[in-house]
Amino acid sequence: MKQVFRTINQVGGLWLLLGLTAVLILPWYKVAPPELVSGGALSDAALFQALAGRAWLWPPVLGILALAGLRVARGERWQADDLVLPIAGTSFLFFLFQAFAIGLRGPAIPALGEAFPAAMLGQTGLGWGGFALGAALVGIIADSLAARGFCRGERFGANAVIFVVALLLLFVFFPIIRLASAALFTPEGVFQPGVFIERALAPDLWNIDCLTGGSRCGVVINTLILGITSATLSTALGLALALLVARTGFRFKGALRAISILPIITPPFVVGVAIIVLFGRTGVVTGWLDMLFGIPPTRWIYGLPGIVLAQVLAFAPITFLVLLGTVEAINPTLEEASKTLGAKPFATFRTITWPLLRPGLAAAFLLAFIESLADFGNPIVLGGGYDVLSIRIFFAVVGARYDLGNAAVLSIILLTMTLGAFWLQTQWLGRKSYVTVTGKSDAGLAAQLPTPLKRTAYMVVIPWVLFTLGVYLIVMVGGFVNDIGRWDLTPTFRHLNTAFSFEIGERGLQLFGSAWNSLQTTLLVSAIAAPLTTAIGILTAYLISRQSFVGKQAFEFGTMLSFAIPGTVVGVSYVAAFNIPPVDITGTMAILVICFMFRNMPVGMRAGIAALSQIDKSMEEASQTLGANGFTTLRTIVLPLIRPAVFTSMVYAFVTAMTAVSAVIFLVSARHNMATAYIMGRVENGEFALAIAYSAVLMVIMIISIVLIQFLVGKRQLGRRAELQSVTAPTAAE
Amino acid sequence: MSETAIEFTDVEKRYGDVRAVDAISFSIRKGELVTFLGPSGCGKTTSLRLIAGLELPTAGTVRIAGENVSTRAASERNVGMVFQSYALFPHMNVIDNVAYGPTIRGGAKKAAIERGREILTLLGLDGLEKRLPSELSGGQQQRVAVARAIVQQPDVLLFDEPLSNVDAKLRRRVREEIRDLQRRFNLTAVYVTHDQEEALAVSDRIVVMSQGKIAQIGTPQELYDRPSSRFVADFIGDANLIEGAVSQNAFTVEGLSLPLPQPAPDGPATISVRPERIALEKGDGVSKIRTATYLGSRYEYIVDTPFGTVLVSAPISLAPLDRGDTVKLGIAPGGFTVVEHA
């Protein structure tokens, strides 16, 4: 292995080889373009396409050949040559220009058609050759920057920074730009800001009739009402839970924490379905209420109440964890001081504890608010006539009337709202966090909750616990009984059979169930996405906490941004960006994997940053002075020491890929269908039992996988002194 | 002593507008132990990291063994570094730590282990090969760190405040060990410290730094006896800085006149006098003992004089003086240096 790398480096590095392969051997286009010379070009590679008449391919081809020439002329340290950066840079710019300027149906600029008649035929999306050349040029640029001292001369670091930036630009920013242009331009490319304004201000978005006694509100208003209601209730419930756990003698703390993990591994829709089974018009609870108290069954659950119920169930664990952190961070001596000054318990709570909690409450509220805006699964199952933005966007793209322009406008409104909340949150957390953790040990005991508050907390929490248990009971049982909807509890495997029947006969294993296809795709995509997501997340964490480079703050902000974009918006933006050349990848499995990678990487990144901050930086520097390059250092020193972060990231990436719906629902295809999309189809058809059975199977798979990942990644074992060492790390390097 | 091991030419390291290292030039000969000394924030650690390649200069050139390495990453240089925290890899045992460098530089694992064993034996660490760093004492950890740094015969061995994690009582022994090791293997070494006593004790030469610039380079004796500036005089050892004037080739201030060793033009001047270079003579004089402190190995007096308070250090053998005694001060001709002269 080492020898292979060394040989590659001697002949000019991986990137030069890849570049040469890209222009000489690999097919440049995804689909071979129309032939220009009789008998066709010698091959589909760029060089031969350029020879055959696609003259706009000459700059990148000649660029790579020139770089190869430089390698021959300058020897092994050729990347340091002054010509490398200009040549690679210009080639890359020409490469980008031709890719975007000449589309499927010909050149975007008429002058190009006159210069290159062949361009009038248009070109298809980039294939292996095109992507490989792009990567090669980016890599050569990174290498030559490293040779000039970028990233302290560390080639791996420079490559990592440049590539992560390039990937973020391509898969986070570029789609958003395309989305914006879809909102502002007609499909023919005519600029039409008027239509944008007209669509953005449409009355069915902003109508506030329902507040003034009318029947219906606009979609945006609906979305805001839902977000505020759901965030308020989730925060209240989260606070009650946090106070119970941290400030009372509550005995079932462990169980509470366990319950709070459940929503993370719960597939979408299933909670909604369970709620319908419980409270729908023919629901179990509805039936009891009718029987016992004569309350007539209604459809009240469909609409705002049902969505709020489902969302609070899903978000309360998140707000609970945020608020538990806040409550535990309050220095108990402050409350003790208040008491010694004569304040009664309730007065202490009101004047000391509550104000200290406020920043945490704001953070929890905004987090739940953002989640609520982005939620797609619950509104689509429980919405009834209650329209929210994510649903409206979905039907604008997937519905009968495909209208990408309108979807783009709605997406921009949704994006503005979430980014606004996200911005508020960072502002709030940045300024208003009263950190009372001083690093000194505090001898004080946390104050117990005043009795009236304790009662209130119990009154809030107990119904929630019952409700959660009810919902998960339905989830566990529903798939394995005859008809949960009508409370027919005869045990049966027929739903499971519909989904997952198989036969082991003379022709080997044969899968008949209707769900096998989507399950296989889901598992494959998740299994590919989890390590890749972790890799890019941890790599980004490493870059942010260990490398210094120009533009690092913007870089950090960009990575966080990708976290704040709602899944629905990501989905639409991917449709807008990747359905047409040059990057034409819709309908492939790759787009699913890529989508998961960039949506889920921030979790790995945060875990990585937290873990890295615990590790003495000089360990990596020691490795470097001993001759290890950045990659070897990362592999042999850093990764073994941050295994828990790797584990967290893997689990999160895997589980979210299994349960995500909002973005992938736009990206699945007949060939590559995902489990969640399949379940959604069943719910829409009213096949609740099948949906529940499939969800239960997914949850079991997830639990097994988490155990498996833990086994694969392993546990960190370090001596006590090693930890001390990292604590006493030098604080004031000059 | 002839060959140059390290050479800095107008090396500058900027962070934004801050010049951590400001156009410094110096060279270090092979086999020499040079110390970078200065208060925190003076640029000494940055200079060390510039040699290691953990920082790259924003201007100027760094040469190691004659080669320009200014844009070369740490992993492409041949330097060994002993870190303040030792930075032993906690998930590897001692022998894996020591053999890490030779292994990842592409050598055979077996040869690397063999080489590691030899070094461990030389440093008296036999038998600890299979221990984890967490199972070693502080002193052992440091020796492992040194072993790991010298196993590849580096062009230069760098020490970043190696004694800061060592008990005060052990410091003298550990620094003797480092000095001994450097001589035994004839290593070129660069040592960073903020402790002037440590610097005087271990160095062949000392580079005193202040605000990113070199204040003075010299042997310990030169720096102590002939500081070139107020800063150096004050930073190394204790110094009495006396402001007066030069006239007729003598430094004069009220109640004191010292002939200069070399003729100098008239004008205001400041001299530095070490506390132990001042003799006190009991009797009628214009100076008076303000405090007398017994320090076990010597007496220390603070004396009020017409030209300000001075600190005097006197051997225990002399008859002690008391608070309030009037004394006469004597300064030998070679006992002072002019540090400022307009």
Side-chain angles (χ1 to χ4, degrees), chain A residues 2-3 6 77 146-155 548 616-630 632-633 635-638 640-641 717-722 725 728-734, chain B residues 39-46 49 52-56 71-77 79 81 83-92 97 100-101 103-107 133-137 141 148-149 152 161 165:
Chain A
K2 256 178 257 165
Q3 273 310 315
R6 188 150 308 162
R77 288 194 153 268
R148 282 147 192 283
F150 182 65
C151 278
R152 292 185 287 189
E154 189 37 72
R155 258 170 79 184
S548 49
D616 186 355
K617 204 174 173 175
S618 48
M619 232 129 33
E620 290 141 54
E621 294 177 344
S623 167
Q624 280 171 308
T625 58
L626 290 168
N629 61 30
T632 313
T633 303
R635 189 172 55 84
T636 56
I637 308 298
V638 179
L641 295 176
Q717 280 177 335
L718 289 181
R720 201 177 66 87
R721 194 171 275 129
Q725 202 178 53
T728 56
T731 43
E734 286 154 32
Chain B
S40 61
C42 72
K44 56 187 192 295
T45 300
T46 308
R49 292 167 64 84
L54 296 171
E55 306 283 353
L56 297 183
T71 57
R72 248 190 241 179
S75 55
E76 295 168 35
R77 302 183 185 190
V79 295
M81 183 153 169
F83 290 82
Q84 196 171 9
S85 59
Y86 314 141
L88 296 178
F89 307 134
H91 57 301
M92 297 182 190
N97 260 287
Y100 181 80
T103 314
I104 49 149
R105 283 241 155 115
S134 54
E135 299 162 340
L136 300 177
S137 73
Q141 285 187 29
R148 187 178 68 177
Q152 307 188 78
E161 310 229 6
N165 279 344

Side-chain angles (χ1 to χ4, degrees), chain A residues 244-600:
Chain A
L244 273 190
V245 167
R247 294 298 176 88
T248 66
F250 185 63
R251 266 184 291 170
F252 308 103
K253 291 176 185 176
L256 213 56
R257 280 178 199 254
I259 291 182
S260 68
I261 298 172
L262 272 179
I264 300 168
I265 59 162
T266 306
F269 312 118
V270 69
V271 168
V273 169
I275 287 176
I276 292 175
V277 167
L278 285 172
F279 301 107
R281 217 176 96 80
T282 57
V284 185
V285 177
T286 315
W288 290 342
L289 289 176
D290 186 21
M291 201 169 69
L292 296 175
F293 306 106
I295 300 171
T298 60
R299 296 176 56 84
W300 68 276
I301 199 74
Y302 296 96
L304 189 61
I307 309 175
V308 167
L309 212 55
Q311 287 192 342
V312 169
L313 191 75
F315 305 154
I318 305 173
T319 55
F320 162 62
L321 289 179
V322 170
L323 288 166
L324 186 63
T326 316
V327 173
E328 283 177 344
I330 292 175
N331 188 336
T333 53
L334 294 177
E335 289 162 326
E336 289 184 339
S338 158
K339 282 182 192 159
T340 60
L341 293 168
K344 296 238 161 41
F346 192 77
T348 300
F349 184 85
R350 190 174 52 82
T351 56
I352 305 296
T353 318
W354 178 254
L356 289 174
L357 279 176
R358 274 191 313 217
L361 288 171
F365 177 89
L366 287 168
L367 202 62
F369 181 72
I370 293 173
E371 291 280 337
S372 168
L373 294 191
D375 188 18
F376 172 80
N378 293 312
I380 202 158
V381 176
L382 290 161
Y386 195 84
D387 224 358
V388 293
L389 273 171
S390 57
I391 305 297
R392 187 67 74 88
I393 293 168
F394 175 69
F395 285 114
V397 174
V398 177
R401 250 183 72 238
Y402 175 81
D403 187 352
L404 187 61
N406 198 25
V409 173
L410 296 172
S411 296
I412 287 170
I413 294 172
L414 181 58
L415 186 61
T416 315
M417 279 160 55
T418 42
L419 288 186
F422 181 69
W423 178 79
L424 265 181
Q425 191 193 20
T426 50
Q427 289 297 303
W428 195 282
L429 285 181
R431 284 199 209 126
K432 290 276 179 124
S433 119
Y434 313 108
V435 177
T436 54
V437 183
T438 54
K440 293 177 195 157
S441 61
D442 297 306
L445 277 177
Q448 289 287 303
L449 211 55
T451 315
L453 279 175
K454 195 152 108 185
R455 288 212 186 106
T456 320
Y458 271 113
M459 268 157 54
V460 174
V461 169
I462 288 171
W464 176 77
V465 170
L466 290 178
F467 177 53
T468 307
L469 290 178
V471 164
Y472 281 94
L473 199 70
I474 300 282
V475 173
M476 275 189 291
V477 173
F480 309 98
V481 296
N482 214 0
D483 188 349
I484 189 80
R486 298 185 199 289
W487 213 240
D488 175 357
L489 297 183
T490 326
T492 173
F493 281 119
R494 73 183 172 96
H495 309 299
L496 209 57
N497 212 30
T498 316
F500 299 110
S501 66
F502 61 92
E503 246 173 51
I504 302 174
E506 46 206 54
R507 276 187 288 170
L509 179 68
Q510 280 187 299
L511 307 175
F512 294 115
S514 58
W516 279 117
N517 183 17
S518 63
L519 184 67
Q520 282 168 340
T521 309
T522 303
L523 284 175
L524 189 59
V525 167
S526 307
I528 297 171
L532 288 178
T533 310
T534 305
I536 192 163
I538 297 283
L539 187 64
T540 309
Y542 178 68
L543 296 180
I544 285 175
S545 61
R546 291 300 201 260
Q547 296 280 352
S548 49
F549 51 89
V550 187
K552 189 167 142 181
Q553 279 192 330
F555 177 74
E556 217 176 323
F557 182 73
T559 53
M560 289 320 298
L561 206 62
S562 75
F563 197 49
I565 305 176
T568 326
V569 177
V570 173
V572 177
S573 71
Y574 272 40
V575 169
F578 301 127
N579 218 356
I580 44 170
V583 188
D584 174 12
I585 53 172
T586 41
T588 62
M589 201 185 276
I591 198 171
L592 295 170
V593 172
I594 289 169
C595 174
F596 287 133
M597 272 175 74
F598 291 92
R599 272 186 65 62
N600 299 334

Side-chain angles (χ1 to χ4, degrees), chain A residues 54-308:
Chain A
R54 296 184 210 279
W56 60 89
L57 295 180
W58 277 122
V61 172
L62 291 179
I64 277 291
L65 295 176
L67 290 169
L70 266 181
R71 159 67 187 91
V72 174
R74 290 281 180 273
E76 243 177 272
R77 288 194 153 268
W78 67 281
Q79 283 108 333
D81 194 280
D82 283 340
L83 285 172
V84 173
L85 200 52
I87 294 179
T90 344
S91 311
F92 189 66
L93 288 180
F94 272 109
F95 165 73
L96 283 185
F97 180 72
Q98 64 82 22
F100 284 98
I102 303 173
L104 200 53
R105 290 192 204 87
I109 311 158
L112 266 178
E114 281 159 34
F116 308 109
M120 295 309 287
L121 293 170
Q123 55 180 354
T124 56
L126 294 174
W128 287 112
F131 288 122
L133 181 74
L137 286 174
V138 171
I140 290 170
I141 289 172
D143 275 352
S144 86
L145 283 175
R148 282 147 192 283
F150 182 65
C151 278
R152 292 185 287 189
E154 189 37 72
R155 258 170 79 184
F156 171 75
N159 271 288
V161 170
I162 303 272
F163 269 96
V164 171
V165 169
L167 288 173
L168 284 176
L169 287 176
L170 181 57
F171 292 115
V172 178
F173 287 92
F174 169 62
I176 295 293
I177 302 287
R178 271 279 158 99
L179 185 71
S181 69
L184 287 168
F185 293 87
T186 62
E188 288 73 41
V190 183
F191 186 56
Q192 45 158 16
V195 176
F196 173 77
I197 291 166
E198 193 184 308
R199 278 171 162 164
L201 298 179
D204 69 331
L205 298 184
W206 302 97
N207 195 334
I208 51 165
D209 274 0
C210 63
L211 299 179
T212 54
S215 58
R216 293 201 135 192
C217 268
V219 181
V220 177
I221 305 298
N222 272 349
T223 310
L224 281 173
I225 291 175
L226 170 64
I228 290 167
T229 318
S230 172
T232 310
L233 294 178
S234 306
T235 309
L237 187 52
L239 179 64
L241 285 166
L243 287 174
L244 273 190
V245 167
R247 294 298 176 88
T248 66
F250 185 63
R251 266 184 291 170
F252 308 103
K253 291 176 185 176
L256 213 56
R257 280 178 199 254
I259 291 182
S260 68
I261 298 172
L262 272 179
I264 300 168
I265 59 162
T266 306
F269 312 118
V270 69
V271 168
V273 169
I275 287 176
I276 292 175
V277 167
L278 285 172
F279 301 107
R281 217 176 96 80
T282 57
V284 185
V285 177
T286 315
W288 290 342
L289 289 176
D290 186 21
M291 201 169 69
L292 296 175
F293 306 106
I295 300 171
T298 60
R299 296 176 56 84
W300 68 276
I301 199 74
Y302 296 96
L304 189 61
I307 309 175
V308 167

